[in-house]
Amino acid sequence: MASPGIEVELLVKGHSDLGEVAPEIKPSERRTAVAIADLEWREMEGDDCGFHYGDGTNEAQDNDFPTVERSRLQEMLSLLGLETYQMQKLSLQDSLQISFDSMKNWAPQVPKDLPWHFLRKLQALNAEARNTTMVLDMPPDARPAEKENQMEEMIYWDPAEDIAADDIYSFSELPTPDTPVNPLDLLCALLLSSDSFLQQEIVLKMSLCQFALPLVLPDSENHYHTFLLWALRAVVRTWWSQPPRGLGSLREDSVVLSRAPTFSFVRMDVSSNSKSQLLNAILSPGRRQWDCFWHRDLNLGTNPREIADGLVEISWFFPSGRDDLDVFPEPVAFLNLRGDIGSHWLQFKLLTEISSAVFILTDNISKKEYKLLYSMKESTTKYYFILSPYRGKRNTNLRFLNKLIPVLKIDHSHVLVKVSSTDSESFVRRIRGIVGSVVRSPCRRVSVEDMAHAARKLGLRIDEDCEECQKAKDRMERITRKIKDIDAYRRDELRLQGDPGRKAAQVEREFCQLQWAPDPPEKHRAELRRRFLELRMQQNGQEPTSGVQEFIAGISSPSLGERQYFLRWMEWGLARVGQPRLRQPPETLLTLRPKLSGASDLSEPLWPEPLGVEHFLREMGQFYEAESCLVEAGRLPAGQRRFAHFPGLAVELLLLGLPLELVDGGTLSIPVRWVTGLLKELHIRLDRRSRLVVLSALGIPGTGKSMLLNTMFGLRFATGRICSPRGAFMQLITVAEGFSQDLGCDHILVIDSGGLISGALTSAGDRFELEASLATLLMGLSNVTVVSLAETRDIPPAILHAFLRLEKTGHMPNYQFVYQNFHDMPAPSPKPRERRQLLEPPSDLNRAAAQMEKQGGGFRTLAGLAFCDPERQHVWHVPGLWHGAPPMAAVSLGYSEAIFELKRCLLENIRNGLSNQNKNIQQLIELVRRL
């Protein structure tokens, strides 16, 4: 056998045929060849491979190789401008601030722009977020002469010239400011620089874009790799579940908890076939291929990976119930290890322990690779080899394969040969057939939680194992384990939201209506006031139950991180116990909503409402309301207040990014004292930065308004559930200090009408009047209102009613009408903004709404009301959300670009003063009271 020094020298000097034959050997792998040559030589000559798993490391991590990786990681972080975020991690709030860049579709010019460009594109669910192409200020031919000379020296280096060992790494090909960065390096660097909650948001947005998700994050700098269990917690998917017998149905579950057969694809040494391209073909139904895994044929895909080798990615196939689209009959997980298994043995060991089958792509099987695989002889995993007959040493491969067949318990059907001339479709069908046969047979099925358990045993770090996260999880479990029946839990633990709360809201509503009567009877007013105080005293006599006290303790924790973890755990825990996981085939609420043609009980939900965090905050709000009423009436001394601190606790959650309820979804009323307390506390917290613009989105459930707001601003309003919360929610967005003067405000308060507007007809009596009043309230608070509409041209009568009322007050915010396409049809116009035919005669519904406002005789169309100023004539046509058929569809590029253009327009209108006068929080408090 040749000396290892000769082979390494050839690799470094670029004379090895291996580099020409195997383009997938990355320069970083060649550069480290010298550093690990002695280690490899000892492994190939010794009796074993020298790997130990007990502490999650291997012998290679004790050699010089990690030193090279440390400097490489630090230089990559420095190149991307992320080195400052290694101690104080980048937060979710940092990434969501409104700045100058929010108003322009800018291209990165230097590597330091790339992380922010990626985050903004990902927030907008843009399918091109992974493109790291830079638009350079300086053309290539304007390169400084010194740099040209350095490049010339590298290119024309004399192979015969001796080179000192210390100078080997001078040939490093680290990216320079004018060299594109591999997208996987950018992703790894950004995740290593982000806190747990930004990591979770990045992974969630990547899942909506149908990108492969990071599962194991490499970090040789600190000698450990991280399994991203927490980061994947927020990913929830819906798929068609078909039992062997009976009718199928849609199932919604967290990808972390759902068990599925898992298949891993790895590279051993060198492979002329691309794992990622093969995986994309397997996952793509029909002839439409989606680039879920980034691969070398994509733009910048051939750029060398500097820090991403060792990354393990995961993606799933989910069935839709359509025979022409379903590649597999049930969910299947696919894992992809970046880099060679010999250099990342720990990750490979993990994959063999969690996979139903492992596909190994290679051109060569040498003695070293044979010994690596021989050590897996106790594994029960199935192994398949994918070879190329024209690359590597054919006879050597056959000799070692024959030795491995009895060791790995495989046969010749487990060895597949693929060449570039092979019919790709037939080869993909063959792989799918193998996967399908394994799925149909008894095989290992694991969840991501199971994978994390295996990773923990191997010594990998689990991101969820930190003390704050575990303490928050324990507290959540103490609350949710008591929830057996949702209705019973609400009745027993959330008592103030029962009959006393509903009756108090009704009495207060009557009292407010009486205020506007020409000559209200004083006796009736006094009776209402007496009943109201009795109900509030009854509420104030209650004590918070154990579940509510536990919740208050969770959000009162002195640890900011623990509070954030607790909120997320509560959301997921309540989602699992508070709503069914199986439901019938979906129809939008446009077709499922009740036919409200007559009067109905206002307290009766129009659809089942899931139990959520908002119910615990409602309970806190009711305690605060009852106490405040008694203090105002002189029935309780102010010094005896017990719940005065509740608004402060809730505002802390608002500042952390949790949507707070503005309109109580249980009573469909505004708890004025609670909301006023929240706004006063917010004014104190924001101090001098309290100038607000209020932006509201209205529409019936199912028209995509919440998804629109989330895509536009990176918010967290509830989406995608038929049983969604009924109340209106608000969330706060910070404007960067350097941009607030130009924009004219310090924060944007975004209000989502949630399920308040059900589309009740004018004949629905009190229900319609209530919805119209709430729509008037939300519009009256707003500087900007977005009305989200489906295919129908008719605007919901309650919203039109609100327009007519607001015209009387002279308050006309800036309005944007958004027509969203829900049937995968082309948008009505290629332009995102154009005039709609709103000048046509009104429909019967809209005419009826106008008649209720005594304008039936001289009715003017909506265009005449909302668009009297030409500058306000904005009607948008947004393409369908999905590109393809869910659940394997990604967000369409057209949708993302249209929403970005809408966002740009809204911010431009705010900056130009078209949204009417901005408010400070004190003015908003007064407006809430008046409205």
Side-chain angles (χ1 to χ4, degrees):
M1 184 178 292
S3 163
I6 297 175
E7 181 178 340
V8 169
E9 185 175 274
L10 291 175
L11 281 171
V12 174
K13 294 183 179 181
H15 290 289
S16 172
D17 293 336
L18 194 58
E20 300 169 8
V21 171
E24 200 166 36
I25 286 190
K26 301 296 183 288
S28 58
E29 293 175 7
R30 296 194 188 103
R31 286 192 295 274
T32 58
V34 172
I36 63 173
D38 291 338
L39 176 64
E40 290 186 346
W41 185 258
R42 288 196 301 270
E43 291 168 358
M44 294 171 67
E45 291 298 309
D47 293 331
D48 57 55
C49 296
F51 289 92
H52 306 282
Y53 319 116
D55 59 354
T57 60
N58 57 49
E59 284 186 10
Q61 291 179 332
D62 296 327
N63 288 271
D64 293 335
F65 177 58
T67 305
V68 180
E69 288 298 315
R70 278 198 297 272
S71 63
R72 194 164 299 284
L73 174 60
Q74 289 303 318
E75 290 196 40
M76 177 61 70
L77 294 172
S78 176
L79 181 75
L80 296 172
L82 297 174
E83 71 275 13
T84 57
Y85 298 106
Q86 297 315 293
M87 295 300 293
Q88 184 68 34
K89 299 292 187 182
L90 190 64
S91 71
L92 180 57
Q93 283 70 30
D94 292 334
S95 70
L96 297 182
Q97 284 194 359
I98 301 292
S99 66
F100 287 101
D101 293 335
S102 303
M103 297 186 61
K104 57 183 181 180
N105 194 6
W106 58 283
Q109 296 182 339
V110 295
K112 284 183 171 61
D113 293 338
L114 292 175
W116 303 102
H117 180 262
F118 174 78
L119 286 173
R120 292 198 182 280
K121 288 286 187 182
L122 199 60
Q123 174 189 310
L125 303 179
N126 192 300
E128 297 180 348
R130 295 178 295 184
N131 188 349
T132 57
T133 303
M134 291 178 286
V135 179
L136 301 177
D137 291 328
M138 181 173 59
D141 55 1
R143 210 177 261 150
E146 181 181 354
K147 185 176 289 188
E148 288 286 355
N149 293 337
Q150 290 175 357
M151 293 181 63
E152 211 168 324
E153 289 175 9
M154 291 176 64
I155 295 171
Y156 295 106
W157 170 58
D158 183 2
E161 184 179 340
D162 291 335
I163 179 168
D166 293 342
D167 294 334
I168 287 178
Y169 296 107
S170 65
F171 292 95
S172 171
E173 297 175 19
L174 272 172
T176 58
D178 59 352
T179 302
V181 176
N182 188 290
L184 295 176
D185 285 338
L186 172 62
L187 175 63
C188 289
L190 189 55
L191 290 173
L192 289 169
S193 307
S194 304
D195 68 14
S196 297
F197 305 98
L198 180 55
Q199 286 182 350
Q200 198 173 81
E201 186 72 8
I202 289 171
V203 170
L204 176 61
K205 299 294 187 182
M206 289 178 68
S207 73
L208 290 172
C209 294
Q210 287 290 359
F211 297 160
L213 308 181
L215 182 69
V216 176
L217 182 65
D219 181 7
S220 297
E221 172 79 8
N222 297 305
H223 299 278
Y224 56 66
H225 308 301
T226 304
F227 188 96
L228 299 177
L229 176 61
W230 171 261
L232 286 160
R233 281 272 178 200
V235 180
V236 175
R237 299 297 295 268
T238 305
W239 67 90
W240 183 258
S241 177
Q242 181 66 58
R245 296 177 182 177
L247 297 175
S249 58
L250 281 182
R251 175 176 176 175
E252 183 179 86
D253 204 355
S254 165
V255 297
V256 165
L257 302 175
S258 178
R259 284 187 167 89
T262 302
F263 297 84
S264 295
F265 285 69
V266 301
R267 170 170 62 86
M268 186 169 68
D269 191 27
V270 179
S271 175
S272 51
N273 296 310
S274 169
K275 304 188 309 299
S276 301
Q277 283 179 304
L278 181 58
L279 280 166
N280 291 339
I282 294 169
L283 285 165
S284 301
R287 294 182 175 275
R288 182 188 66 84
Q289 180 164 321
W290 180 255
D291 293 315
C292 179
F293 292 91
W294 193 264
H295 58 83
R296 60 194 180 198
D297 281 357
L298 292 175
N299 188 25
L300 304 177
T302 57
N303 277 59
R305 293 191 297 267
E306 302 297 338
I307 62 173
D309 278 349
L311 172 70
V312 177
E313 299 168 289
I314 187 169
S315 188
W316 290 266
F317 176 85
F318 292 102
S320 63
R322 291 176 50 178
D323 292 338
D324 59 328
L325 295 178
D326 288 349
V327 177
F328 306 109
E330 64 177 275
V332 180
F334 293 89
L335 303 177
N336 183 13
L337 171 61
R338 300 289 182 167
D340 170 40
I341 62 173
S343 301
H344 308 286
W345 184 253
L346 186 63
Q347 288 93 320
F348 178 61
K349 175 67 173 173
L350 172 65
L351 299 189
T352 63
E353 293 194 3
I354 62 179
S355 299
S356 305
V358 176
F359 289 82
I360 302 172
L361 284 74
T362 187
D363 289 345
N364 291 296
I365 304 177
S366 65
K367 187 175 182 180
K368 174 196 170 185
E369 281 74 38
Y370 168 75
K371 287 182 176 290
L372 294 177
L373 293 173
Y374 185 84
S375 67
M376 309 304 299
K377 60 185 178 181
E378 302 299 328
S379 172
T380 59
T381 303
K382 297 181 180 180
Y383 294 89
Y384 293 85
F385 291 86
I386 299 177
L387 307 175
S388 172
Y390 302 134
R391 306 294 175 93
K393 301 173 182 178
R394 185 171 182 176
N395 293 333
T396 305
N397 289 347
L398 293 175
R399 185 172 71 252
F400 283 121
L401 278 172
N402 286 324
K403 291 182 179 181
L404 286 172
I405 283 176
V407 173
L408 300 180
K409 304 176 185 64
I410 62 176
D411 55 37
H412 290 87
S413 66
H414 288 231
V415 180
L416 311 174
V417 177
K418 183 182 184 299
V419 293
S420 56
S421 59
T422 301
D423 178 12
S424 296
E425 289 188 20
S426 63
F427 189 80
V428 168
R429 283 196 298 270
R430 188 177 178 189
I431 299 294
R432 285 177 176 171
I434 294 171
V435 172
S437 66
V438 174
V439 169
R440 288 188 296 271
S441 64
C443 68
R444 179 185 290 147
R445 283 171 166 77
V446 295
S447 66
V448 176
E449 277 193 343
D450 297 331
M451 298 178 190
H453 183 64
R456 192 178 286 112
K457 286 184 175 180
L458 290 175
L460 273 77
R461 173 181 176 268
I462 312 298
D463 60 351
E464 211 171 83
D465 285 353
C466 68
E467 182 181 0
E468 289 180 330
C469 183
Q470 291 305 307
K471 286 176 66 176
K473 181 182 180 182
D474 291 343
R475 191 182 296 276
M476 176 272 294
E477 289 176 342
R478 289 198 292 271
I479 296 174
T480 56
R481 71 166 60 105
K482 297 180 180 179
I483 304 175
K484 308 300 180 184
D485 177 83
I486 302 173
D487 294 332
Y489 187 83
R490 286 175 174 166
R491 182 179 61 252
D492 298 337
E493 292 287 327
L494 306 175
R495 300 169 186 166
L496 268 62
Q497 296 170 57
D499 283 341
R502 285 193 293 269
K503 289 177 180 177
Q506 182 62 33
V507 171
E508 191 166 28
R509 185 181 293 115
E510 290 179 28
F511 188 83
C512 289
Q513 290 172 347
L514 207 61
Q515 298 281 81
W516 298 98
D519 296 305
E522 186 59 35
K523 184 177 180 180
H524 186 43
R525 286 164 55 104
E527 175 62 20
L528 289 176
R529 189 180 297 109
R530 183 191 64 79
R531 284 170 51 196
F532 181 67
L533 286 175
E534 282 182 358
L535 291 167
R536 289 306 190 192
M537 288 183 68
Q538 184 179 343
Q539 286 184 308
N540 194 60
Q542 300 277 351
E543 291 292 332
T545 59
S546 59
V548 174
Q549 289 182 24
E550 195 74 63
F551 178 83
I552 294 171
I555 63 174
S556 305
S557 170
S559 166
L560 174 62
E562 189 176 331
R563 293 201 300 271
Q564 289 179 287
Y565 279 118
F566 175 69
L567 284 175
R568 296 294 173 91
W569 278 120
M570 281 295 294
E571 289 173 357
W572 303 326
L574 293 174
R576 291 192 66 78
V577 300
Q579 59 185 334
R581 294 173 58 189
L582 289 170
R583 62 175 185 257
Q584 292 302 311
E587 297 182 55
T588 67
L589 283 175
L590 299 174
T591 57
L592 287 181
R593 69 176 185 268
K595 303 294 188 292
L596 295 175
S597 56
S600 59
D601 182 4
L602 297 183
S603 64
E604 180 184 349
L606 300 182
W607 52 79
E609 190 182 21
L611 183 65
V613 171
E614 66 272 10
H615 291 87
F616 289 85
L617 289 169
R618 268 185 214 169
E619 191 77 0
M620 292 172 60
Q622 286 295 309
F623 276 109
Y624 182 84
E625 281 273 326
E627 189 177 73
S628 298
C629 285
L630 298 181
V631 170
E632 289 174 9
R635 303 285 186 92
L636 181 71
Q640 295 181 16
R641 298 196 66 164
R642 296 178 296 160
F643 310 119
H645 64 293
F646 278 7
L649 296 178
V651 164
E652 284 292 335
L653 307 186
L654 181 68
L655 295 174
L656 290 176
L658 180 77
L660 290 187
E661 207 171 33
L662 177 65
V663 177
D664 187 325
T667 61
L668 298 183
S669 64
I670 284 195
V672 178
R673 295 165 189 81
W674 172 245
V675 171
T676 300
L678 293 176
L679 293 176
K680 285 181 177 178
E681 194 67 34
L682 182 63
H683 181 65
I684 295 172
R685 302 297 172 90
L686 297 183
D687 195 17
R688 298 178 181 179
R689 302 199 70 220
S690 61
R691 293 177 304 162
L692 287 179
V693 161
V694 181
L695 185 153
S696 62
L698 279 73
I700 64 175
T703 54
K705 63 186 182 316
S706 302
M707 186 68 177
L708 181 149
L709 292 174
N710 293 350
T711 305
M712 197 182 305
F713 296 113
L715 303 179
R716 297 181 54 216
F717 293 117
T719 62
R721 295 183 298 183
I722 288 180
C723 301
S724 57
R726 284 206 299 164
F729 291 81
M730 58 183 176
Q731 198 167 346
L732 195 68
I733 308 171
T734 301
V735 178
E737 290 195 32
F739 186 51
S740 60
Q741 193 64 35
D742 189 38
L743 193 62
C745 63
D746 302 305
H747 294 83
I748 299 176
L749 187 69
V750 182
I751 301 174
D752 179 6
S753 67
L756 292 182
I757 313 298
S758 69
L761 305 182
T762 54
S763 57
D766 289 344
R767 172 74 67 175
F768 170 79
E769 176 59 32
L770 179 60
E771 289 188 7
S773 299
L774 291 172
T776 305
L777 169 70
L778 297 184
M779 290 184 182
L781 293 175
S782 304
N783 302 97
V784 181
T785 294
V786 176
V787 179
S788 182
L789 304 168
E791 300 86 350
T792 174
R793 190 184 63 210
D794 282 334
I795 294 171
I799 295 178
L800 178 61
H801 198 69
F803 273 108
L804 296 169
R805 285 182 173 181
L806 285 174
E807 189 192 24
K808 294 179 180 179
T809 69
H811 176 82
M812 240 349 136
N814 181 269
Y815 292 99
Q816 308 289 330
F817 290 85
V818 180
Y819 285 84
Q820 298 203 49
N821 185 356
F822 288 94
H823 292 300
D824 297 323
M825 299 291 289
S829 168
K831 298 179 181 179
R833 182 177 62 183
E834 67 172 16
R835 285 296 305 273
R836 181 80 173 175
Q837 297 300 319
L838 293 174
L839 298 175
E840 295 179 0
S843 69
D844 293 340
L845 289 178
N846 293 347
R847 185 179 285 109
Q851 288 172 349
M852 288 187 68
E853 287 297 318
K854 307 296 189 289
Q855 295 187 21
F859 183 86
R860 291 166 293 167
T861 64
L862 182 59
L865 297 174
F867 295 120
C868 53
D869 184 348
E871 292 296 324
R872 296 179 180 179
Q873 298 180 12
H874 291 102
V875 179
W876 301 76
H877 297 284
V878 176
L881 172 63
W882 301 114
H883 177 63
M888 292 304 293
V891 174
S892 74
L893 186 60
Y895 177 87
S896 173
E897 291 177 342
I899 297 302
F900 175 82
E901 183 63 19
L902 172 60
K903 174 183 178 180
R904 187 201 60 77
C905 177
L906 293 177
L907 294 177
E908 193 68 48
N909 288 345
I910 292 171
R911 184 165 69 172
N912 293 336
L914 297 182
S915 57
N916 291 333
Q917 185 177 2
N918 299 334
K919 308 172 177 66
N920 60 42
I921 294 181
Q922 294 285 16
Q923 292 170 327
L924 186 63
I925 292 171
E926 183 58 32
L927 195 56
V928 168
R929 286 174 173 160
R930 283 173 46 209
L931 286 170

